[in-house]
Amino acid sequence: MSQTAPLVSNAPRAASAGAPPSAAADRGSGLVTLLLMLSGTFMVVLDFFIVNVALPAIQHDLRATSSALQLVVIGYGLANAAMLITGGRLGDLYGRRRLFAIGIALFTAASAACGLAPNAEVLIAARVVQGVAGALLQPQVLAMLGMLYSGAARTRAFAAYGLALGLGAASGQLIGGVLIAADLFELGWRSCFLINVPIGVIALALTPRLLPALRGSAGHGAAATSRLDVPGMLLVAAALTAAVFPLAQGREQGWPLWSVISLAAALPLLASFWRYQQRLAARGGSPLIAPALLAPGPFVLGLLVTLVFYSSNASFYFVLALYLQQGLGLTPLASGLVFTTLAAGFFATSMASPRIAQRLGRHAIFVGALVLAAGHALLFVLLPELTADHVAWMLPALLVQGCGLGMVMAPLVATVLAGLPAQHAGVASGVLATTQQVGNALGVALIGILYYGVLGHAGSAPAEQHRHAVAQAFGAGLVYLFALAIGVAWLYRRFSRAAIAASAGH
């Protein structure tokens, strides 16, 4: 469940253009309107996961290399990460409904391009556009929920948002497997992308009728101080690309000079971005990320823990989806059904999270990290014995993993965002969402180096070699997860100290 977590909206008070707040709320707070907004969120999350189960078929049909397969996943997550904060700022400047509609339209067009892609290069380019489109519409949904709902209705709206995220992540593998197995109009894997087109067209048609023209925070005379930080946007996108792209491409090409130069340039680019943000803030401008937000403290530590968590999660899904089909010979549908066991554990502990938190207190997330690591370790032990006839052996381990995910995900978000000043809440949410997506992309890139380094030519290796490759990948995942448990414990220790200090200051 590597989805973007529910973020904190920083603009709940803006009104519809030309209408009082009550009129905007009356127009936009119905069930159909809520479903319309959540449809965009559902598609964005679904498309990160649905592609995993389609990767073997994509590789066969498009004759894609292993690095191209990684870029199909990474390109989406990286583009989304690079543009999320900018997408929120664009909503501030030009209005939430407008950016939501643009995002839906672009996502729908990019989905059609993915489904019609004649080769891997076109598919990767279309996935990048999908990621950008998702970053345009995602922040608007969160902001609009905060604007249109209040009190208990807002609580229910954000609960529905969380459910949409969970359903998109948990059902992605299964929906993909069903679509490929159904083979409607002989589209095969292409239907995993083309299914977005009718949904997007309907959502786009309903948007002007159901959503009020909600202004962003810059719509009330603040445009001068809320200009888009284009240099910052370009610098952070360049830094992320320089760090992740060569990790996906370098191994297969024998680590050519360009890949080494790109990796070496990533840190200087990130440092340049940070210096520019500091200078811009000192001049009274509007940096992409307020420097005060990333001052040393629990928030920065929380971002590092989040990076580790999402890296391990995304790499696990990527490798397991390939192994189930290429290593064990399962069909896409059977592979998707295996993942539903993990989803069941996730939903069980997610629904019980209030009771778990009440019983375990602040230790709940640490226990969850250990449960997640235990499920991973159990799967690691079982791997040497797994064959297509014994896939059921792995289901208990996946159930345990799912339970651990449900215990970690929501509490981790709440912990990372807790204690931040109100003026930084919106940007902090954007930074957290960006970190999640960077973790997704980085995890797939790093695990791909290890997995394909052992496997060699993907898909053509014997079953024993697949088993060895996935065992190596899962061993690395164990290191990730125990590092996560240590990081979570440290985070809570630092957070407790910060909370005590804040209380003493008042």
Side-chain angles (χ1 to χ4, degrees), residues 8 26 28 40 134 168 173 200 220 274 284 293 327 333 359 366 368 410 418 424 506:
V8 179
D26 289 344
Q173 314 274 0
H220 297 276
W274 188 240
L293 182 63
L333 178 58
R359 190 174 187 85
F366 177 66
H424 293 317
H506 290 289

Side-chain angles (χ1 to χ4, degrees), residues 247-296:
L247 293 177
Q249 292 284 296
R251 180 203 58 81
E252 191 169 68
Q253 298 181 23
W255 300 107
L257 181 61
W258 71 262
S259 65
V260 177
I261 293 173
S262 179
L263 285 170
L267 278 179
L269 283 169
L270 198 58
S272 298
F273 164 74
W274 188 240
R275 286 196 296 269
Y276 176 74
Q277 297 297 283
Q278 290 176 316
R279 290 197 301 269
L280 187 60
R283 296 199 305 264
S286 297
L288 206 59
I289 302 174
L293 182 63
L294 296 185

Side-chain angles (χ1 to χ4, degrees), residues 20-30 33 148:
S22 59
D26 289 344
R27 180 184 174 188
S29 58
T33 300
L148 295 175

Side-chain angles (χ1 to χ4, degrees), residues 369-435:
L370 291 179
V371 170
L372 180 58
H376 199 90
L378 181 58
L379 200 55
F380 177 73
V381 171
L382 290 172
L383 279 174
E385 307 300 326
L386 279 182
T387 65
D389 296 328
H390 299 95
V391 171
W393 291 9
M394 71 192 307
L395 298 185
L398 288 173
L399 185 65
V400 172
Q401 276 195 301
C403 290
L405 284 171
M407 293 175 69
V408 170
M409 189 165 289
L412 180 60
V413 172
T415 302
V416 173
L417 294 178
L420 290 173
Q423 66 268 28
H424 293 317
V427 175
S429 298
V431 173
L432 179 60
T434 299
T435 302

Side-chain angles (χ1 to χ4, degrees), residues 181-198:
D183 197 20
L184 297 173
F185 308 108
E186 298 185 349
L187 289 171
W189 61 267
R190 297 177 185 275
S191 59
C192 295
F193 300 107
L194 295 176
I195 191 67
N196 293 329
V197 175

